[in-house]
Amino acid sequence: MRGPAMTDVARLAGVSHQTVSRVLNDHPNVREQTRVRVRAAIAELGYRPNRAARALVTGRSQLIGVVAQNSTLYGPASLLAALEQAAASAGFAVSVGSVSTLDRRSISAAVERHLDHRVAGIVVIAPVASADEALDHLPHGVPLVTVDGDPAREAALVTVDQAAGAGLATRHLLDAGHRTVWHVSGPADWFDSAGRVEGWRAALRAAGAEVPPVLSADWSAASGYRCGQMLARMPEVTAIFAANDHLALGVLRALSERGRRVPEEISVVGFDDVPEAAYFIPPLTTVRPDFDAVARAGLAMLLRQIEAGPGVVERHTIAPTLVHRASVAAPPT
């Protein structure tokens, strides 16, 4: 059994199917009383517009393509979910092209697949350095926004201010009375990680504090645990800023096993504010990126390109906030 068609809506509302089409496309030359009658008929029948046919009439697709790495990491996964929600609020559907690695070949292939489906525009979540070369070789004339990409790149970009977030975490620990702050970083090829190292180092230098060597890790709790085992053996360590909350979780486990109490002996701050952070032992002080704001800004930027055409380079940086919990205290005297 077929669903209701536009002609059914027109018959129930007592108008032509051209009038129904004008209402669906928000045409200004429709009387308000007629518009209300057509909307009521649409609701009564449960009519759903054929998006493909509508795209042919209006020349615009209601589909946005997103290219993202196939990852369960909290940051990229949260950005993707926020983009889908922001697009839905604007009346767009999202087609996700998941790639195993963010390199030129994978990104180019995902973009071509999106273009084959006549998407209105494309968002690339590009948090790693290997994505830059691919972005340089994408087709011209396509509305495209990069999210969480290279802050030094001359392109339409929306990202979290990673350096500012790291500065918040570091200054919070210094303000608590710690002489310096040790840092467990994420992978070196991630822009998030590089920005957090930059913000941590700048905050220490601005305070005239010693800058310890960076302990490099990946984003996992296991690598945080390994770094935490090393830091737990160093009596001079009283404050640690971990580049994400999973690293902080591993650090907390290592400190606990060595009998180093948090926050009585060592204070710890994370980054991301994962849902579990409030339930760590102790509850974790952390930096919260506003993924919803990043998604809304990225989508708005893309829609402006769709309306006016690509070519304008806009950049938008979203400031994170510090979430105070129980993992920070003054250093032991």
Side-chain angles (χ1 to χ4, degrees), residues 64-71 73-84 94-99 101-103 107 110-111 114 122-132 134-135 138 144-150 156-159 190-192 291 294-295 298:
I64 289 173
V66 176
V67 179
Q69 189 169 15
N70 185 13
S71 170
L73 289 172
Y74 179 74
S78 298
L79 276 174
L80 180 56
L83 279 167
E84 290 180 306
V94 169
S95 172
V96 180
S98 296
V99 297
T101 55
L102 287 168
D103 55 21
I107 292 177
V111 167
H114 283 318
I122 294 174
V123 176
V124 181
I125 301 176
V128 295
S130 60
D132 265 9
L135 294 172
L138 293 182
L144 186 143
V145 170
T146 304
V147 172
D148 202 23
D150 184 356
L157 171 71
V158 182
T159 188
W190 281 65
F191 301 120
D192 293 3
F291 295 119
V294 172

Side-chain angles (χ1 to χ4, degrees), residues 233-245:
R233 297 186 179 95
M234 302 167 61
E236 69 271 25
V237 174
T238 66
I240 301 169
F241 165 47
N244 79 349
D245 291 347

Side-chain angles (χ1 to χ4, degrees), residues 173 176-179 238 263-265 267 329-333:
L173 289 163
H178 298 275
R179 292 185 176 183
T238 66
E264 292 84 358
E265 295 179 58
S267 293
T333 56

Side-chain angles (χ1 to χ4, degrees), residues 100-113:
S100 57
T101 55
L102 287 168
D103 55 21
R104 177 178 173 181
R105 181 177 179 179
S106 300
I107 292 177
S108 297
V111 167
E112 289 298 329
R113 288 194 298 272

